[in-house]
């Protein structure tokens, strides 16, 4: 029998608002992007090295990180011309979440400075770490230079590294760190640290070992802002905590929204508040005791750890109901996607051995804001969320204060791709989507 191998094809396509008819846009490699009027889709560039982030620069270029290629590149949004600006030889890239990740351009980029910030994973003596670095862009040569770590020796893992970077309107840099994939798979014996906060001694020693499962807030030089929250009597880079794997960040004015990967249910859209606790691993989605209990394999015997099953919890593994957990600063999500009742069959043999296909998750990978004065009237004041599992963009309408989800969620642009990131063009007539496609051959 002939073996099938997956070839991963990565690229960036543009979806444009137009007055045209309903159509099916032919993308690269025979993939079809079904687009309804008034939209059309065009593949801008293909063959990228697992693209992870895309930003619109003040030079009217698309700035892209390529996770697997370990590089930062630029793409011309008119021609698709692709130019690598810098390759991080010290980075370690491997599936699913290692390599060059988030990207942020300084608020004064090409105005008062030429600073570019990114984050990547690396190894020292077999131990995985991550760092946030600042670089200087030379517009004449279109190159980056002077790699300088502003925050180093951050925790990293084979999984759930998050890595999203965003500058806020306050001029501070926000960064997400996932729970490292602890308490599952090959890391089943490792405890989830999302509820653990750094001590004063750790902060003084630049020990960031308890930063997993957090959203950090830092000054542009990597130092701790003086107005960061004081948590358990300690001020650190930690801005909010209790997260599993936050891969999407977007500001709407001064409000910060984040998307969160759930375990096998309860992906989340959160409004991030200073000092907020978002519940993981004790709570997934709403605190409702529906289809999730915390199974703490890190406190189980090695024999039980060897029986780890994401669909069934072996007898003897310590468990805890969501309502058994409470905290004065506990925050509910604005939206929990695809909540199911107890008794849902997560091990439906219809999907064997790829059971996750049948899980009620969307795997939200990024979030972007479509402005209230955007040219696509129906989309105004909405969040656009890309998904890795469903190959679609979810549009979530916000209320007038941009504090609550309003109305139904709309599912758009369904294809057989994994969508990594979405970007709205400055004129609001286009969105750019990073896609990853596995083609069987």
């Amino acid at each position: 029998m002939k073996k099938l191998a997956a070839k991963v094809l990565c690229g960036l396509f543009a979806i444009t608002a137009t007055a045209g008819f309903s159509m099916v846009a032919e993308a690269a490699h025979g993939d079809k992007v079904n687009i309804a009027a008034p939209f059309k889709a065009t593949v801008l560039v293909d063959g990228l090295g697992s693209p992870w982030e895309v930003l619109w620069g003040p030079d009217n270029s698309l700035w892209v990180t390529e996770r697997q290629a370990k590089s930062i590149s630029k793409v011309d949004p008119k021609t698709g011309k692709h130019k690598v600006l810098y390759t991080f030889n010290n980075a370690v890239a491997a599936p699913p979440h290692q390599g060059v990740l988030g990207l942020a351009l300084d608020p004064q980029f090409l105005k008062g400075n030429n600073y570019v910030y990114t984050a990547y994973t690396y190894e020292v003596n077999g131990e995985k770490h991550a760092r946030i670095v600042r670089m200087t862009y030379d517009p004449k040569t279109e190159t980056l230079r002077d790699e300088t770590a502003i925050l180093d020796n951050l925790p990293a893992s084979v999984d759930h590294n998050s890595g999203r970077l965003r500058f806020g309107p306050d001029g501070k840099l926000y960064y997400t760190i996932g729970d490292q994939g602890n308490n599952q798979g090959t890391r089943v014996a490792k405890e989830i640290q999302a509820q653990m906060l750094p001590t004063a001694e750790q902060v003084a020693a630049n020990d960031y070992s308890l930063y997993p499962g957090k959203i950090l807030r830092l000054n542009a030089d990597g130092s701790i802002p003086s107005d960061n929250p004081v948590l358990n009597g300690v001020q650190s880079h930690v801005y909010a905590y209790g997260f599993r794997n936050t891969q999407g960040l977007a500001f709407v004015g001064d409000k910060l929204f984040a998307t969160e990967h759930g375990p096998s249910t309860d992906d989340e859209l959160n409004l991030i508040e200073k000092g907020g606790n978002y519940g993981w691993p004790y709570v997934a989605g709403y605190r409702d005791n529906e289809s999730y209990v915390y199974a703490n394999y890190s406190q189980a015997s090695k024999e039980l750890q060897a029986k780890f099953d994401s669909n069934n919890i072996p007898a003897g593994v310590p468990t805890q109901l969501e309502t058994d957990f409470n905290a004065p600063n506990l925050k509910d999500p604005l939206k929990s996607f695809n909540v199911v009742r107890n008794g849902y069959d997560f091990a439906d043999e219809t999907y064997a051995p790829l059971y996750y296909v049948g899980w009620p998750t969307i795997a939200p990978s990024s979030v972007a804001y479509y402005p209230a004065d955007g040219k696509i009237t129906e989309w105004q004041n909405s969040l656009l969320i890309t998904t890795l599992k469903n190959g679609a963009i979810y549009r979530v309408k916000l209320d007038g204060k941009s504090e609550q989800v309003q109305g139904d969620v709309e599912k758009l642009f369904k294809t057989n791709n994994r969508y990594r990131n979405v970007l709205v063009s400055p004129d609001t007539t286009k969105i750019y989507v990073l896609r990853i496609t596995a083609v069987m051959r």
Side-chain angles (χ1 to χ4, degrees):
M1 184 174 67
K2 182 179 179 180
K3 292 183 178 180
L4 292 178
K7 180 180 181 182
V8 178
L9 306 170
C10 302
L12 187 155
F13 68 89
I15 299 173
T16 308
T18 176
F21 299 98
S22 296
M23 62 179 294
V24 176
E26 186 75 21
H29 308 288
D31 177 40
K32 291 183 177 180
V33 183
N34 295 288
I35 306 295
F39 300 103
K40 67 177 182 181
T42 306
V43 175
L44 185 62
V45 61
D46 214 344
L48 300 178
S50 295
W52 207 88
E53 177 74 88
V54 58
L55 303 175
W56 189 283
D59 58 351
N60 292 319
S61 295
L62 299 174
W63 288 68
V64 179
T65 58
E66 299 181 54
R67 182 186 60 77
Q68 195 74 24
K70 304 190 296 187
S71 64
I72 297 176
S73 58
K74 286 204 310 181
V75 174
D76 187 320
K78 295 180 180 179
T79 66
K81 180 182 178 181
H82 172 240
K83 179 180 175 60
V84 175
L85 306 180
Y86 190 85
T87 299
F88 295 86
N89 294 321
N90 292 327
V92 170
H97 300 146
Q98 299 176 74
V100 179
L101 302 173
L103 182 69
L105 305 179
D106 193 279
Q108 296 301 312
F109 184 68
L110 298 185
K111 300 174 184 177
N113 65 54
N114 293 344
Y115 291 152
V116 175
Y117 298 79
T118 193
Y120 64 84
T121 57
Y122 66 98
E123 280 187 6
V124 176
N125 297 325
E127 291 290 327
K128 297 184 184 297
H129 304 273
R131 60 169 59 110
I132 302 172
V133 300
R134 184 188 67 223
M135 307 192 71
T136 300
Y137 176 63
D138 185 338
K140 292 182 178 179
T141 61
E142 291 192 299
T143 57
L144 289 164
R145 65 173 189 272
D146 302 333
E147 180 184 336
T148 302
I150 64 166
L151 197 60
D152 206 347
N153 295 315
L154 292 167
S157 167
V158 297
D159 203 3
H160 292 192
N161 286 316
S162 293
R164 192 67 67 192
L165 274 173
R166 284 288 180 269
F167 268 105
D170 54 5
K172 307 303 181 184
L173 193 57
Y174 293 75
Y175 180 69
T176 67
I177 300 183
D179 70 358
Q180 314 290 281
N182 288 1
N183 201 55
Q184 65 177 32
T186 60
R187 297 177 65 85
V188 67
K190 297 184 180 297
E191 189 172 11
I192 294 174
Q193 299 170 309
Q195 291 292 325
M196 301 178 185
L197 294 167
T199 65
E201 292 75 17
Q202 287 175 315
V203 173
N206 297 327
D207 177 354
Y208 309 128
S209 58
L210 293 183
Y211 277 14
K214 315 296 193 297
I215 293 177
L216 309 184
R217 179 176 180 262
L218 49 147
N219 293 318
D221 63 359
S223 60
I224 298 171
S226 60
D227 57 346
N228 265 14
V230 176
L231 301 169
N232 280 0
V234 178
Q235 189 177 61
S236 68
H237 292 100
V238 175
Y239 186 74
Y241 61 105
F243 300 103
R244 184 172 184 267
N245 194 25
T246 300
Q247 290 188 338
L249 287 180
F251 277 95
V252 179
D254 62 353
K255 297 180 178 68
L256 177 59
F257 292 87
T259 54
E260 180 78 7
H261 287 261
S264 52
T265 182
D266 290 296
D267 296 316
E268 296 178 12
L269 171 64
N270 289 302
L271 177 60
I272 303 303
E273 299 183 29
K274 178 180 179 179
N277 181 345
Y278 289 79
W280 183 256
Y282 302 113
V283 180
Y286 302 113
R287 189 167 160 268
D288 54 11
N289 291 339
E290 291 287 356
S291 291
Y292 174 76
V293 296
Y294 173 39
N296 190 353
Y297 282 89
S298 69
Q299 296 298 314
S301 66
K302 289 184 178 180
E303 290 75 18
L304 288 173
Q305 290 171 354
K307 296 179 181 179
F308 171 78
D309 184 343
S310 56
N311 296 319
N312 297 289
I313 303 169
V317 175
T319 60
Q320 180 175 324
L321 294 174
E322 290 178 306
T323 52
D324 289 337
F325 175 73
N326 201 359
N329 57 343
L330 183 63
K331 306 297 178 184
D332 285 330
L334 292 183
K335 172 72 177 176
S336 185
F337 291 89
N338 299 342
V339 179
V340 293
R341 299 293 301 274
N342 287 325
Y344 185 91
D345 186 5
F346 291 96
D348 187 340
E349 289 300 319
T350 304
Y351 302 100
L354 304 178
Y355 293 105
Y356 67 86
V357 174
W359 294 351
T361 51
I362 64 172
S365 52
S366 76
V367 60
Y369 179 60
Y370 192 86
D373 59 354
K375 294 181 180 179
I376 307 174
T377 306
E378 293 81 1
W379 287 16
Q380 290 176 348
N381 196 34
S382 295
L383 295 173
L384 304 178
I385 299 171
T386 52
T387 64
L388 292 169
K389 180 180 171 185
N390 282 340
I393 294 176
Y394 283 65
R395 185 179 69 84
V396 181
K397 182 75 173 177
L398 297 176
D399 68 356
K401 295 182 179 180
S402 297
E403 294 177 344
Q404 297 287 344
V405 170
Q406 189 176 66
D408 294 331
V409 173
E410 184 179 14
K411 186 177 180 180
L412 301 162
F413 314 131
K414 170 67 176 168
T415 74
N416 293 323
N417 296 285
R418 288 161 59 84
Y419 292 165
R420 169 52 69 187
N421 208 340
V422 62
L423 168 70
V424 179
S425 67
D427 67 2
T428 71
T429 64
K430 296 183 180 69
I431 62 172
Y432 295 89
V433 181
L434 296 177
R435 65 166 188 147
I436 305 171
T437 306
V439 177
M440 302 309 293
R441 56 177 174 82

